[in-house]
Amino acid sequence: MALVLVVDDEKNMRRVVSAHLQKAGYDAIEAEDGASAIELIRKNKPDCIISDMKMPGMSGMELMAVILKIDKDLPVVMLTAHGTVETAVQAIKLGAFDYLEKPFDKNHLNAVVARALKSRELSQKEPSNSAAISSQNERMQALLDMVDRVAVSPTTVLITGESGTGKELIARRLHEQSDRAKKPYIRINCAAIPSGLVESELFGHEKGAFTGAISSKPGRFELADKGTLFLDEVAAIPLETQVKLLRAIQEQEFERVGGVRSTKVDARIIAAANVDLKEEVGRGTFREDLYYRLNVVHLKIPPLRERPEDIRDLVDTFIHRFNKKLSRGVKSISPQAYARLRAYDWPGNIRELENAIERAVLLARGDEIAESDLPEEAAGRVLPSAPRQETPLGDLKEASRDAAVRVEIEMIVAALKKTGGNVTQAAKLLGLSRKGLQIKMREYELDRKQHGDI
């Protein structure tokens, strides 16, 4: 179950928002100011933040700046009063996911949170460290050289590659090395938006344009003016919206949904896809003219299985990061474990390797990662050869279930210990929902206080 942190100095507002979220099926925790919010973020690792703009002490904008330093992919939704929408728009340009104008409609609140959580989920498929775009591989080095050469131009760029290869990192590098680096970098994950809302998200809408449009709102194109607009998972844009997108890219102008006045923008377009857009054109799900408009410069990122020489540096980077995050002292990886990593084909690419090393650092018994600390897929585990001594016979399925239970208990206890008994954090380490972990703890009669050193 997703966890949402609500930050507002008004107690009644916190309670109203939390109640709506809980009715929608989310867990909600509350903070009355920025300092309390930061403490809860570090302790509970929420999946989304809803914060008031104006608060005593630390403002919503200041809080957002701190949040994005802790986790740049953590979606922040701003609550703003009527008359301060311009400030909220500025917050989106600086990294906020979206904003809600008070008084808000509960269905609108639920829709925005759902999109934020979907975007968070999809962002977790991409690597979270710039080490993912440093490389010893010749193909990757050539691609990075191309990135540096085209970054300074306003040319449209199409980035393709499997999930987890680092497409968003390449997009950020293009923006940060351009002359637009100090202007807005606006990212929209098209796969996270319901098809009926994509046009509004891209181009904005006027008041009353559709049910729930209680006020006018700029779209991502407007927000990206003078900066960069990154269209992630561009293949998810519906065909009917692709026509308007093509015109906006070609003419650098568009109309809001429900509007009649054209708006001019100067935005550099970067698009990304984890599917072959040319094949989508053949299937009739992507416009050919839009494909060629996006495909001015094509950057195709090779998957990790085609650049195994990068695994060592990535492993060292991830060990260092997770030692800090988990308060561990792992120094290295055994030659046998490293050989297993080199032999694995990594269908989830760098993100999968990152997750594997986080798990290994958590479970390592000493200062070295062993084969047994790796996930089964990466470790390439097979049934052990028969031991010389006589093995007692019995029900194989029952024995397998018993072994699985022992492993689950061991991992849950280790996660609880490393997080000081914090169930939410432990669930994240184990890849479970908070509720899922609680169910397993009750099933195995595990007490978080007993196993969490608290």
Side-chain angles (χ1 to χ4, degrees):
M1 186 180 296
L3 178 65
V4 183
L5 171 61
V6 181
V7 189
D8 200 306
D9 59 306
E10 294 184 16
K11 188 175 182 179
N12 287 340
M13 179 57 68
R14 293 199 305 271
R15 287 185 171 179
V16 167
V17 175
S18 295
H20 284 320
L21 291 170
Q22 288 164 352
K23 285 181 181 178
Y26 305 118
D27 279 339
I29 53 176
E30 302 174 14
E32 63 183 0
D33 54 38
S36 302
I38 293 168
E39 184 178 347
L40 287 174
I41 289 168
R42 296 188 187 280
K43 182 179 179 182
N44 293 285
K45 308 291 184 186
D47 302 293
C48 178
I49 312 293
I50 298 177
S51 174
D52 192 21
M53 286 286 297
K54 301 182 77 173
M55 298 183 291
M58 184 183 295
S59 69
M61 293 279 275
E62 292 169 331
L63 173 60
M64 183 186 72
V66 176
I67 291 171
L68 295 180
K69 286 181 180 178
I70 296 173
D71 184 347
K72 68 178 181 61
D73 294 320
L74 183 56
V76 180
V77 177
M78 290 296 191
L79 286 174
T80 180
H82 182 70
T84 59
V85 169
E86 288 301 319
T87 308
V89 170
Q90 184 63 24
I92 294 180
K93 292 181 178 181
L94 294 175
F97 178 81
D98 207 338
Y99 69 86
L100 289 165
E101 189 176 357
K102 300 176 185 176
F104 57 84
D105 176 80
K106 66 178 181 181
N107 293 326
H108 189 202
L109 167 68
N110 293 341
V112 169
V113 171
R115 293 202 304 273
L117 292 171
K118 181 65 174 178
S119 179
R120 171 71 164 175
E121 176 189 343
L122 292 170
S123 72
Q124 295 303 307
K125 296 181 180 179
E126 289 297 308
S128 58
N129 190 278
S130 58
I133 55 172
S134 62
S135 181
Q136 304 298 318
N137 177 267
E138 288 186 7
R139 281 179 59 198
M140 191 66 184
Q141 288 175 344
L143 181 140
L144 294 175
D145 179 64
M146 177 69 78
V147 168
D148 294 341
R149 282 189 287 146
V150 304
V152 294
S153 75
T155 302
T156 301
V157 177
L158 174 63
I159 307 169
T160 61
E162 298 174 7
S163 293
T165 50
K167 296 186 291 297
E168 206 271 338
L169 291 171
I170 294 293
R172 282 188 179 274
R173 180 160 170 160
L174 284 165
H175 173 72
E176 290 168 359
Q177 297 196 22
S178 74
D179 57 5
R180 299 169 182 255
K182 294 183 179 179
K183 300 298 182 180
Y185 172 79
I186 303 298
R187 173 181 180 268
I188 178 170
N189 193 310
C190 305
I193 305 168
S195 58
L197 295 177
V198 172
E199 186 175 349
S200 172
E201 285 293 314
L202 286 172
F203 307 113
H205 61 257
E206 298 294 352
K207 181 178 180 180
F210 51 84
T211 303
I214 58 176
S215 61
S216 298
K217 189 173 183 179
R220 305 294 167 165
F221 262 88
E222 282 181 71
L223 297 173
D225 189 32
K226 303 296 189 296
T228 301
L229 176 62
F230 177 43
L231 302 171
D232 201 2
E233 306 289 4
V234 69
I237 296 178
L239 273 171
E240 58 270 22
T241 306
Q242 291 177 26
V243 180
K244 191 167 182 177
L245 174 60
L246 175 64
R247 181 195 169 223
I249 296 173
Q250 288 182 157
E251 307 296 334
Q252 292 279 281
E253 70 175 23
F254 56 90
E255 293 83 37
R256 289 180 177 179
V257 176
V260 294
R261 182 177 59 85
S262 292
T263 300
K264 297 285 288 185
V265 293
D266 172 20
R268 198 259 183 94
I269 306 299
I270 302 173
N274 60 10
V275 296
D276 188 327
L277 289 183
K278 204 162 189 179
E279 289 185 4
E280 298 302 309
V281 170
R283 294 190 185 99
T285 60
F286 202 82
R287 291 180 61 96
E288 185 175 25
D289 46 7
L290 178 57
Y291 167 69
Y292 286 114
R293 174 58 61 181
L294 294 174
N295 194 32
V296 179
V297 174
H298 185 188
L299 301 174
K300 185 175 182 179
I301 307 177
L304 185 56
R305 63 180 171 275
E306 295 179 9
R307 39 186 285 216
E309 59 267 48
D310 289 338
I311 290 177
R312 168 60 76 178
D313 287 345
L314 289 166
V315 168
D316 290 344
T317 296
F318 295 145
I319 287 176
H320 176 73
R321 179 192 307 163
F322 294 121
N323 273 335
K324 292 176 65 176
K325 177 180 177 180
L326 304 173
S327 300
R328 300 303 310 273
V330 174
K331 296 179 180 177
S332 62
I333 183 170
S334 74
Q336 296 83 1
Y338 176 63
R340 289 294 191 183
L341 298 183
R342 285 284 301 237
Y344 184 51
D345 65 358
W346 299 106
N349 291 292
I350 297 168
R351 170 61 71 183
E352 185 182 6
L353 174 62
E354 183 179 13
N355 292 341
I357 298 304
E358 180 173 8
R359 176 190 188 277
V361 168
L362 173 66
L363 297 179
R365 291 178 173 81
D367 61 4
E368 184 179 74
I369 293 173
E371 283 184 86
S372 59
D373 300 322
L374 301 175
E376 291 185 4
E377 299 83 2
R381 291 189 193 129
V382 296
L383 289 172
S385 57
R388 293 182 181 178
Q389 68 272 23
E390 183 179 351
T391 302
L393 298 176
D395 187 293
L396 181 59
K397 289 184 179 179
E398 184 177 344
S400 298
R401 284 195 297 269
D402 290 344
V405 167
R406 287 196 298 273
V407 171
E408 283 198 352
I409 291 174
E410 179 183 351
M411 290 182 64
I412 291 171
V413 169
L416 289 169
K417 184 174 182 180
K418 292 308 165 189
T419 59
N422 187 295
V423 176
T424 301
Q425 287 186 30
K428 286 183 176 294
L429 291 176
L430 295 167
L432 298 172
S433 67
R434 187 171 184 271
K435 187 174 182 180
L437 178 55
Q438 288 174 326
I439 290 172
K440 286 186 177 293
M441 289 172 64
R442 286 195 295 270
E443 180 183 352
Y444 301 143
E445 298 182 350
L446 297 175
D447 187 329
R448 71 184 181 93
K449 293 183 178 180
Q450 179 181 351
H451 297 286
D453 295 335
I454 60 173

